[in-house]
Amino acid sequence: MTEFGYFLSCEEFTPAQLLEQARRAEDAGFTRLAISDHFHPWNDAQGSSPLVWSMIGALSQTVDLPVTTLVTCPTVRMHPAVTAQAAATSSVLLDGRFTLGVGTGEALNEHVLGDRWPPFDERAAMLEEAVEVMRALFSGRQVTHKGAHYTVENARLYTTPAGRLPVYVSGFGPQAAELAGRIGDGFVTMGPDEEAIGRFRDAGGAGKPVIGGLKVCWSPDRDKAVDTVHRLWPNEQLPGELAQILPTPAHFEQAGRLVTREQVAAAVPCGDDTDEHVAAIRGYIDAGFDEVHIGQIGPDQESFFTAWQERLLPALI
């Protein structure tokens, strides 16, 4: 049976707003939380970027829901050994209710220390090695590793995960889906792409969870909702690899000018038509997702949580 989680967008909301959303999500019947990891927002209009690891610590003291990173990049801005320590502590704070979702990242966040931004094949190899390093450290053993991309010397986590810490791998293309099947405990993909899920399962992911998410804008005024999405999240409609290679919010703002209001209206559930929102979510259920995480775009969070509790969730269960 598919579980429904709430997607906390660090790009759009302050720490206090994210914590309040988590409380309301739990009250409204969501059973999980997902949270993004960004150094920069996608554009200045989103306007936020709290440190995800601080947020997870605060969430552990605020709600009782499981938390998954969707997703963090343990390869460039954060060394896998440091990511492993952060993830292990998160697992302890959440009493084992933490899942580490990882991916190959975006230049937007990962270039900030002046590192070269590698092509996808190299980033995928870095991610595979990073996952190997993190799993070794999660064991609590002393680890020395000299690989193609990372060196770890006499490192040991003294605060180890509370039980097994699952590592889910994100993928948006054939190679990434196959990598997730080979090395991941689960698969993260944002769209209900049955072909990608099939590749994941054929590559070793059979029987492993598939999770994803979508953004919506619930509002009694559909036109206003479309305007809100078009202003805040046009980046979600950019094609191809642009999301991985553009380096600054200003570049995303430039590219976002090519996204039309009509594209947004066709792609994102907007307004207060229950059937439209339910149909979008059911697309994920029908594609075989084990978890679907929904995020409300814009400031009108309360009307969304009320609608979720009173209209959307009853229509889905």
Side-chain angles (χ1 to χ4, degrees):
M1 182 176 176
T2 304
E3 284 194 74
F4 302 111
Y6 189 72
F7 200 119
L8 300 167
S9 291
C10 286
E11 306 96 307
E12 189 183 343
F13 299 103
T14 67
Q17 289 170 328
L18 293 168
L19 293 178
E20 180 57 26
Q21 289 171 22
R23 293 187 194 97
R24 286 294 291 116
E26 187 170 39
D27 291 343
F30 285 100
T31 58
R32 293 182 169 272
L33 295 172
I35 187 166
S36 58
D37 175 15
H38 270 248
F39 190 90
H40 291 138
W42 297 100
N43 54 55
D44 283 356
Q46 291 175 356
S48 194
S49 62
L51 180 67
V52 69
W53 303 108
S54 299
M55 290 307 310
I56 291 169
L59 288 168
S60 74
Q61 306 303 301
T62 303
V63 293
D64 293 323
L65 300 180
V67 178
T68 301
T69 50
L70 289 191
V71 291
T72 194
C73 179
T75 60
V76 180
R77 172 174 46 108
M78 288 273 284
H79 190 282
V82 179
T83 305
Q85 185 184 29
T89 300
S90 298
S91 177
V92 170
L93 285 168
L94 287 159
D95 295 325
R97 301 186 309 277
F98 177 67
T99 298
L100 179 62
V102 299
T104 57
E106 303 94 12
L108 175 71
N109 301 304
E110 304 307 319
H111 84 289
V112 296
L113 301 180
D115 297 276
R116 165 181 165 267
W117 184 239
F120 172 77
D121 286 351
E122 187 175 343
R123 299 201 317 269
M126 293 168 70
L127 182 62
E128 185 165 2
E129 186 177 337
V131 170
E132 177 187 349
V133 167
M134 292 189 295
R135 285 188 172 134
L137 287 164
F138 291 156
S139 71
R141 301 190 308 267
Q142 182 170 287
V143 174
T144 294
H145 171 93
K146 297 188 186 300
H149 302 285
Y150 303 105
T151 297
V152 179
E153 189 170 296
N154 303 330
R156 178 184 172 191
L157 294 183
Y158 281 81
T159 298
T160 55
R164 186 170 182 274
L165 201 171
V167 180
Y168 290 5
V169 175
S170 173
F172 301 100
Q175 291 174 277
E178 290 168 6
L179 175 67
R182 191 170 72 252
I183 71 171
D185 297 311
F187 182 36
V188 178
T189 188
M190 289 300 106
D193 185 341
E194 294 186 44
E195 181 180 349
I197 294 170
R199 285 182 178 273
F200 163 72
R201 289 180 173 146
D202 290 344
K208 297 177 183 178
V210 175
I211 73 172
L214 74 159
K215 291 184 175 63
V216 305
C217 191
W218 183 276
S219 170
D221 186 332
R222 190 175 194 279
D223 287 339
K224 182 178 178 182
V226 172
D227 288 340
T228 297
V229 178
H230 190 232
R231 178 174 63 87
L232 291 173
W233 287 90
N235 55 283
E236 293 229 321
Q237 309 310 317
L238 294 177
E241 296 182 56
L242 284 177
Q244 282 74 53
I245 63 174
L246 295 179
T248 69
H251 288 97
F252 277 94
E253 288 165 6
Q254 292 164 14
R257 294 185 193 124
L258 301 174
V259 176
T260 67
R261 191 176 179 280
E262 290 70 28
Q263 285 176 284
V264 166
V268 181
C270 292
D272 61 357
D273 184 335
T274 300
D275 291 342
E276 179 185 357
H277 287 261
V278 168
I281 297 166
R282 282 208 181 277
Y284 290 79
I285 298 170
D286 294 343
F289 280 69
D290 297 278
E291 299 173 22
V292 183
H293 295 265
I294 301 110
Q296 164 76 354
I297 293 173
D300 193 3
Q301 297 288 313
E302 188 56 38
S303 70
F304 169 76
F305 286 120
T306 299
W308 177 260
Q309 189 169 19
E310 296 179 357
R311 296 169 61 175
L312 300 176
L313 183 57
L316 288 162
I317 58 176

